[in-house]
Amino acid sequence: MPDQSSNNNQLLAPLVDLLNTKLPTDSVSAVTRFAQQYYQATTKEEFSERSLDNLYGATLSCWQFLQNYDAKQPKIHVYNPDLEQHGWRAQHTVIEVLQSDMPFMVDSIRMELNRRGLVIHTIHNEVLFTQREGDKLLQLSNAADENAHAEALIYLEVDRTSDAAELKAILKSLQQVLNQVHTVVKDFPLMQARVHALLEELSVTSSLSKEQKEQAEDATAFLNWMLNNRFTFLGYDEISITDGTVSRVPGCELGILKSKKSSDKMKEYPFDDLRAAEQAFMLEPSVIMFAKDAHYSHVHRPAYMDRVIIKRFDAKGNVTGKCRFYGLYTSPVYSESITTMPVMQRKAERVLKRSGFDSRSHNGKELMQIMNDLPRNELMLSTEDELLELSMGIFSLHDRRRIRLLYRQDRCNQFATFLYYVPRDIFNTALRMKVQALLAKACASSDVEFTTTFSESILARVQFVLRLDPDNPVEVDLAELESAVINISQDWGDELHTALMDACGEEKGNHLQNKYRNAFNSAYREHFKVTSAASDIQRIEELNSHTRVTMSFYRVLEQSQDILRFKLFTADQPLILSEVIPVLENLGMQVLGEHPY
């Protein structure tokens, strides 16, 4: 198999020919080398999506954009290429970004554009190694050159906008995001250093109670686990609680917490000003705690940030402060077994013990598997009591064809989480949106996230996370809400099953359900209730080699008594309506309409 570079040289041949035709001889060589480096990882599919003229114009524009860069801040250009002004045109708005190479750049830019509702039509990113004199480009080099500087050049095409104010807003928002990325990457080692410093503090446990010493051991293990590529550090701060006053320790902020907006938000204020739930959370004498932050991450991944909290205590065991790490758990965490996750392992073992199940029994193993399959946020943020209730609620399903709604509200009343279980064969986007709207209304929430999970189970699981207004708490009647969810989730086929068992008994009803489960099309389901379908099935069952046709006369309660309806059932071959209608007319009836199924 030829390597990627040789493949791309072939794909770039039309572009190189066009460069040779149009460019002055003294610049062709440099631009060609640039194109070969910049497009070295581009696939055939990506090339096929762009016209040669578009690729030619974009290549020259990126080459010119690369010529000057001072490396002190990101260089961003947002514009609509115009033939008269720029010498080329593009169907979409073009964004060019040049910055010293660092993690999270592409993801964060893509997140911001998606947040603004802009569809990304083209995105291309490559790390180039440059030699510069001041801010002027001398030449392109390679990774082996120790004097070269790694720079990421990103080219995007998004939905076209000609509004100058909107173009400026896009530019400003990308600058803010990239500044955050730079701050996070710069402070990443400092945040890890704070973890090591806390590990030293946790090794001194003389003032802690027996239970807190156990928690300190778990906290130590968890912090070491975080350092092992389990946590993307985005921010850090420290909170002090002294003399009835809560304040952020001056100068402690790292990462995204360095921003002025974040710093101003945490001025000194009386402890009594906190809501009761926040006071209880802050004073709980646990060495390590977990929380979900109410702010979206603008770096790396679009999600509410996770917080890992390590508390400090005085000689009497009272909470005097806390150290807070903000960030996102990395992808391995979401598939990692809870048996290797510090804190979570001990919590799961205590829940198993409280359930009364032996760890070696079938029920014990099933309960542990249920906890292992839970969304990691539920495992981390649930208290022991909540995790027990949640796990036993799932356990009671026994992988049966049931609809279930489970609920947890976070301790500071900022989020509500629902786990919605539904037979996977009836689950679809329309149903998910109906349930989501119902939950959002019940919780007075306008911000809902969802994650759908399919496994070998007959049930699909949807996790809904709803943002709440902590100043206006809502009481959720779970039983009533679950009943409403079950009502809108009922499948026509499941209702038919119930109607058949009511009409024919369990054994025959099950037999007929299996036989006719998928027999009725959407038009029939829209026009008739399941009780009618159960009656029609019994009519159909009467058909055999001797009885080729059967019928059913009936009236609709809401319609005039002068209107009579009837259904005509035939085996094997459908009747020809043009032959049936004259028979009915000869009986003195006027046929107003017919609907074959």
Side-chain angles (χ1 to χ4, degrees):
M1 178 182 292
D3 61 29
Q4 182 70 21
S5 59
S6 62
N7 279 340
N8 280 12
N9 285 337
Q10 296 175 17
L11 295 172
L12 280 172
L15 175 62
V16 172
D17 290 343
L18 194 58
L19 292 172
N20 281 305
T21 301
K22 291 192 171 186
L23 293 183
T25 306
D26 58 351
S27 61
V28 168
S29 178
V31 177
T32 299
R33 283 198 303 271
F34 163 72
Q36 290 170 341
Q37 287 191 34
Y38 191 52
Y39 297 115
Q40 60 183 319
T42 306
T43 64
K44 181 179 180 181
E45 288 72 22
E46 290 174 298
F47 277 124
S48 66
E49 292 172 355
R50 303 173 66 179
S51 68
L52 182 58
D53 286 342
N54 174 272
L55 191 62
Y56 174 80
T59 301
L60 288 184
S61 180
C62 288
W63 171 248
Q64 293 164 4
F65 189 65
L66 186 65
Q67 296 309 302
N68 295 283
Y69 174 56
D70 64 8
K72 293 179 181 178
Q73 59 183 0
K75 181 181 179 183
I76 306 172
H77 190 200
V78 182
Y79 68 112
N80 295 310
D82 177 80
L83 279 174
E84 292 184 359
Q85 185 176 356
H86 305 100
W88 72 292
R89 68 177 301 277
Q91 180 181 356
H92 309 293
T93 292
V94 170
I95 302 173
E96 296 166 345
V97 180
L98 181 62
Q99 180 163 323
S100 299
D101 184 43
M102 61 184 66
F104 314 139
M105 280 182 58
V106 177
D107 290 341
S108 303
I109 290 172
R110 189 162 45 210
M111 281 165 46
E112 178 60 22
L113 295 175
N114 289 334
R115 187 188 69 81
R116 300 185 69 88
L118 295 170
V119 175
I120 300 174
H121 300 278
T122 299
I123 181 168
H124 185 74
N125 168 59
E126 190 62 55
V127 177
L128 302 171
F129 294 89
T130 64
Q131 288 187 0
R132 293 185 182 274
E133 183 177 312
D135 64 351
K136 184 178 180 180
L137 178 68
L138 295 178
Q139 64 177 5
L140 295 177
S141 186
N142 54 62
D145 185 351
E146 295 181 355
N147 296 318
H149 182 61
E151 298 173 359
L153 177 59
I154 306 170
Y155 174 89
L156 305 103
E157 291 186 17
V158 300
D159 284 345
R160 188 177 186 88
T161 177
S162 56
D163 186 341
E166 177 64 14
L167 294 175
K168 288 181 180 179
I170 295 171
L171 173 63
K172 183 177 179 180
S173 67
L174 290 177
Q175 287 173 333
Q176 291 172 341
V177 166
L178 290 176
N179 286 336
Q180 278 200 2
V181 170
H182 178 265
T183 302
V184 165
V185 172
K186 180 183 176 183
D187 285 359
F188 204 91
L190 299 176
M191 289 184 273
Q192 290 184 317
R194 290 305 307 143
V195 177
H196 289 291
L198 284 171
L199 286 171
E200 289 292 326
E201 288 187 34
L202 290 170
S203 65
V204 181
T205 60
S206 56
S207 63
L208 300 180
S209 66
K210 181 180 178 181
E211 183 179 359
Q212 288 175 331
K213 287 179 180 179
E214 183 180 276
Q215 292 174 2
E217 292 177 6
D218 282 346
T220 298
F222 192 87
L223 292 178
N224 280 312
W225 176 82
M226 282 172 60
L227 288 171
N228 189 22
N229 192 33
R230 297 303 199 286
F231 196 76
T232 301
F233 294 90
L234 300 180
Y236 171 83
D237 69 356
E238 296 180 14
I239 302 299
S240 172
I241 309 169
T242 56
D243 300 326
T245 300
V246 179
S247 61
R248 178 181 282 161
V249 176
C252 68
E253 303 93 342
L254 294 173
I256 59 172
L257 275 299
K258 277 185 172 179
S259 69
K260 184 178 185 298
K261 181 179 178 181
S262 174
S263 299
D264 289 347
K265 191 176 178 180
M266 196 61 189
K267 292 179 179 178
E268 184 177 297
Y269 54 88
F271 179 79
D272 291 339
D273 285 357
L274 293 172
R275 292 182 292 270
E278 292 177 318
Q279 292 180 10
F281 187 84
M282 189 169 286
L283 294 183
E284 181 176 314
S286 298
V287 176
I288 183 169
M289 296 184 72
F290 306 93
K292 182 68 73 172
D293 193 71
H295 298 92
Y296 258 92
S297 167
H298 292 285
V299 177
H300 183 42
R301 201 168 72 236
Y304 288 110
M305 291 184 291
D306 296 290
R307 272 189 283 161
V308 178
I309 303 160
I310 303 296
K311 292 189 175 179
R312 289 184 168 129
F313 305 88
D314 60 19
K316 297 179 180 180
N318 299 314
V319 178
T320 60
K322 55 183 181 179
C323 303
R324 305 188 295 187
F325 294 95
Y326 297 74
L328 301 166
Y329 293 105
T330 57
S331 55
V333 173
Y334 295 93
S335 57
E336 185 170 345
S337 170
I338 57 174
T339 60
T340 62
M341 296 174 64
V343 182
M344 307 309 129
Q345 178 187 13
R346 199 187 297 268
K347 185 191 291 186
E349 289 172 349
R350 286 197 292 259
V351 167
L352 178 62
K353 184 177 180 180
R354 289 180 59 182
S355 73
F357 297 149
D358 189 292
S359 61
R360 297 164 296 181
S361 68
H362 170 78
N363 287 346
K365 292 177 181 178
E366 183 177 348
L367 189 65
M368 284 296 291
Q369 186 60 47
I370 286 170
M371 288 188 282
N372 192 66
D373 291 340
L374 281 173
R376 285 298 171 260
N377 283 332
E378 291 307 294
L379 191 63
M380 292 180 177
L381 300 177
S382 297
T383 64
E384 192 175 306
D385 290 339
E386 290 170 337
L387 184 57
L388 176 61
E389 182 179 356
L390 184 64
S391 301
M392 292 305 295
I394 301 170
F395 179 84
S396 66
L397 283 170
H398 293 296
D399 206 24
R400 294 173 296 168
R401 191 179 176 83
R402 295 284 189 275
I403 296 166
R404 191 73 193 271
L405 187 70
L406 301 168
Y407 168 71
R408 180 188 64 80
Q409 185 168 318
D410 93 321
R411 299 180 58 186
C412 293
N413 299 321
Q414 297 193 98
F415 296 95
T417 301
F418 292 91
L419 293 183
Y420 167 54
Y421 288 85
V422 61
R424 59 188 298 166
D425 60 323
I426 69 172
F427 177 76
N428 54 44
T429 300
L431 176 58
R432 191 266 302 165
M433 292 178 69
K434 288 181 182 179
V435 173
Q436 180 173 314
L438 184 65
L439 300 180
K441 183 178 180 181
C443 295
S445 174
S446 59
D447 188 358
V448 184
E449 291 185 333
F450 71 93
T451 304
T452 304
T453 303
F454 294 98
S455 64
E456 69 278 2
S457 169
I458 64 170
L459 301 176
R461 183 188 75 200
V462 186
Q463 180 194 28
F464 294 101
V465 179
L466 292 82
R467 180 78 169 90
L468 304 179
D469 180 358
D471 293 321
N472 296 288
V474 177
E475 291 293 330
V476 174
D477 186 332
L478 183 58
E480 181 180 331
L481 188 56
E482 183 178 43
S483 177
V485 167
I486 291 173
N487 185 51
I488 64 174
S489 303
Q490 285 288 353
D491 177 56
W492 194 91
D494 288 337
E495 293 179 359
L496 174 63
H497 190 192
T498 301
L500 285 170
M501 288 197 295
D502 288 344
C504 308
E506 182 177 3
E507 182 178 0
K508 188 175 180 182
N510 286 335
H511 169 72
L512 294 176
Q513 166 70 3
N514 291 331
K515 185 176 181 180
Y516 292 95
R517 182 190 302 272
N518 299 312
F520 297 94
N521 62 24
S522 58
Y524 181 95
R525 295 181 182 208
E526 183 177 343
H527 291 155
F528 298 102
K529 297 180 179 179
V530 292
T531 50
S532 295
S535 176
D536 290 347
I537 287 173
Q538 294 178 74
R539 293 285 186 180
I540 295 171
E541 285 292 300
E542 295 173 2
L543 298 173
N544 53 47
S545 58
H546 302 292
T547 305
R548 310 297 299 176
V549 178
T550 186
M551 62 184 66
S552 168
F553 287 88
Y554 66 99
R555 281 191 171 93
V556 176
L557 182 62
E558 295 80 9
Q559 290 186 340
S560 168
Q561 292 298 300
D562 294 332
I563 297 178
L564 181 67
R565 293 174 178 247
F566 88 100
K567 295 177 183 175
L568 189 61
F569 305 90
T570 63
D572 301 326
Q573 297 294 328
L575 289 177
I576 299 173
L577 292 176
S578 61
E579 297 178 354
V580 175
I581 291 175
V583 175
L584 296 173
E585 291 176 340
N586 286 337
L587 293 174
M589 299 180 184
Q590 181 184 4
V591 178
L592 301 179
E594 71 280 342
H595 301 281
Y597 299 101

Short mmCIF file of all heavy atoms in Angstrom, two decimals, residues 46 99 117 226 249 312 354 437 446 473 557:
data_model
loop_
_atom_site.label_atom_id
_atom_site.label_comp_id
_atom_site.label_asym_id
_atom_site.label_seq_id
_atom_site.Cartn_x
_atom_site.Cartn_y
_atom_site.Cartn_z
N GLU A 46 -11.76 14.67 1.43
CA GLU A 46 -11.69 16.10 1.70
C GLU A 46 -11.33 16.89 0.45
O GLU A 46 -11.88 17.96 0.19
CB GLU A 46 -10.68 16.38 2.81
CG GLU A 46 -11.13 15.91 4.18
CD GLU A 46 -10.05 16.08 5.23
OE1 GLU A 46 -8.98 15.45 5.10
OE2 GLU A 46 -10.28 16.85 6.18
N GLN A 99 -1.51 30.16 15.32
CA GLN A 99 -1.07 30.26 16.72
C GLN A 99 -0.02 29.20 17.00
O GLN A 99 0.00 28.13 16.37
CB GLN A 99 -2.26 30.07 17.67
CG GLN A 99 -1.85 30.16 19.16
CD GLN A 99 -3.03 30.38 20.08
OE1 GLN A 99 -3.94 31.10 19.73
NE2 GLN A 99 -3.00 29.78 21.25
N GLY A 117 -23.94 28.56 16.44
CA GLY A 117 -24.89 28.08 15.44
C GLY A 117 -24.37 28.12 14.02
O GLY A 117 -25.15 28.10 13.06
N MET A 226 -6.04 10.86 39.24
CA MET A 226 -6.28 12.02 38.36
C MET A 226 -5.04 12.37 37.55
O MET A 226 -5.12 12.71 36.36
CB MET A 226 -6.71 13.23 39.18
CG MET A 226 -8.14 13.23 39.65
SD MET A 226 -8.47 14.59 40.80
CE MET A 226 -8.08 16.02 39.79
N VAL A 249 -8.99 32.81 48.25
CA VAL A 249 -7.63 33.18 48.65
C VAL A 249 -7.00 34.01 47.54
O VAL A 249 -6.93 33.56 46.39
CB VAL A 249 -6.79 31.93 48.94
CG1 VAL A 249 -5.34 32.32 49.26
CG2 VAL A 249 -7.40 31.11 50.08
N ARG A 312 -9.91 21.43 53.86
CA ARG A 312 -8.94 21.61 54.94
C ARG A 312 -9.70 21.75 56.26
O ARG A 312 -10.81 22.29 56.30
CB ARG A 312 -8.09 22.85 54.69
CG ARG A 312 -7.10 22.68 53.52
CD ARG A 312 -6.23 23.91 53.38
NE ARG A 312 -5.11 23.67 52.49
CZ ARG A 312 -4.80 24.46 51.47
NH1 ARG A 312 -5.50 25.55 51.24
NH2 ARG A 312 -3.76 24.19 50.70
N ARG A 354 -24.97 -2.69 51.90
CA ARG A 354 -26.27 -2.21 52.39
C ARG A 354 -27.43 -2.86 51.66
O ARG A 354 -28.55 -2.95 52.20
CB ARG A 354 -26.35 -0.68 52.26
CG ARG A 354 -25.45 0.07 53.24
CD ARG A 354 -25.58 1.56 53.06
NE ARG A 354 -26.95 2.04 53.25
CZ ARG A 354 -27.33 3.30 53.10
NH1 ARG A 354 -26.42 4.22 52.75
NH2 ARG A 354 -28.58 3.66 53.27
N ALA A 437 -39.15 17.45 26.76
CA ALA A 437 -40.00 18.62 26.96
C ALA A 437 -40.81 18.49 28.26
O ALA A 437 -40.98 19.47 29.00
CB ALA A 437 -40.93 18.80 25.77
N SER A 446 -34.72 25.41 31.01
CA SER A 446 -34.62 25.66 29.57
C SER A 446 -33.32 25.13 28.99
O SER A 446 -33.06 25.26 27.79
CB SER A 446 -34.71 27.17 29.29
OG SER A 446 -33.68 27.87 29.96
N PRO A 473 -36.22 26.91 43.67
CA PRO A 473 -36.28 25.44 43.64
C PRO A 473 -37.67 24.93 43.26
O PRO A 473 -38.69 25.56 43.57
CB PRO A 473 -35.92 25.06 45.07
CG PRO A 473 -36.21 26.26 45.89
CD PRO A 473 -35.96 27.44 45.01
N LEU A 557 -69.37 6.67 17.61
CA LEU A 557 -70.24 7.35 18.57
C LEU A 557 -70.40 8.83 18.26
O LEU A 557 -71.49 9.40 18.38
CB LEU A 557 -69.67 7.17 19.99
CG LEU A 557 -70.48 7.77 21.14
CD1 LEU A 557 -71.86 7.11 21.22
CD2 LEU A 557 -69.73 7.60 22.46
#
